[in-house]
Amino acid sequence: MEGYSVRAGPVGEDVAMAIPEADLDRIELWCRARVPEDLWNQVKVEADIAPRHVTIVEVRPPWDGVGEHTRFPIARLRYTSSSTLWAIYWRDRNMKFHAYDDRRPPSSDVAELLDYIADGGDPIFWG
């Protein structure tokens, strides 16, 4: 999975964003707050941003200190600009995302969905 920098597409490419800036700010702050800053050298939660969705990923350094950090997808938030709704998608063991609508319907409030991913009690996200 190619990494995305915040507010840009695949590293080095700009992406025309359909996602509201305020929601991107909220997602970014939520990700940073998931892990205390003094532990960021061990694990971080970041947002990989694409034009219509944001993937929440857990980032860890290589166990032996050699090579790239691992980026493990936790959940995806998909934005539909025509309805201004966010929807949660869950990741299966084959790294494919599936709609989570039957358990948590789409919402116009991305913070509500982030709180659900964090505290909803479903181990599908944080295991």
Side-chain angles (χ1 to χ4, degrees), residues 23-43:
D23 287 348
L24 291 176
D25 290 342
R26 186 167 286 121
I27 293 166
E28 188 176 63
L29 288 171
W30 181 88
C31 287
R32 280 194 300 215
R34 292 291 304 157
V35 177
E37 191 172 347
D38 61 321
L39 298 178
W40 285 0
N41 63 337
Q42 297 173 38
V43 63

Side-chain angles (χ1 to χ4, degrees), residues 52-54 75-80 83-90 98-101 104-110 113 117:
R52 290 184 201 97
H53 67 262
V54 177
R76 180 169 284 169
L77 296 166
R78 186 171 303 253
Y79 182 72
T80 305
S83 66
T84 67
L85 292 176
W86 286 94
I88 299 176
Y89 283 69
W90 62 278
H98 307 277
Y100 193 79
D101 295 347
R104 186 66 179 185
S107 173
S108 60
D109 184 1
V110 72
L113 298 181
I117 291 168

Side-chain angles (χ1 to χ4, degrees):
M1 174 180 200
E2 183 158 359
Y4 287 82
S5 61
V6 174
R7 315 295 166 118
V11 177
E13 294 179 24
D14 290 329
V15 172
M17 300 304 289
I19 301 172
E21 282 290 321
D23 287 348
L24 291 176
D25 290 342
R26 186 167 286 121
I27 293 166
E28 188 176 63
L29 288 171
W30 181 88
C31 287
R32 280 194 300 215
R34 292 291 304 157
V35 177
E37 191 172 347
D38 61 321
L39 298 178
W40 285 0
N41 63 337
Q42 297 173 38
V43 63
K44 282 184 177 181
V45 175
E46 294 181 354
D48 287 347
I49 300 172
R52 290 184 201 97
H53 67 262
V54 177
T55 304
I56 307 299
V57 295
E58 183 181 82
V59 181
R60 291 185 180 268
W63 66 272
D64 60 0
V66 178
E68 301 279 324
H69 282 63
T70 58
R71 301 182 67 77
F72 190 74
I74 302 299
R76 180 169 284 169
L77 296 166
R78 186 171 303 253
Y79 182 72
T80 305
S81 57
S82 61
S83 66
T84 67
L85 292 176
W86 286 94
I88 299 176
Y89 283 69
W90 62 278
R91 179 204 37 84
D92 69 17
R93 65 182 177 165
N94 297 313
M95 300 299 197
K96 294 185 182 188
F97 285 93
H98 307 277
Y100 193 79
D101 295 347
D102 57 332
R103 295 181 216 165
R104 186 66 179 185
S107 173
S108 60
D109 184 1
V110 72
E112 179 183 307
L113 298 181
L114 291 167
D115 289 344
Y116 182 81
I117 291 168
D119 303 321
D122 192 333
I124 201 165
F125 299 113
W126 300 101

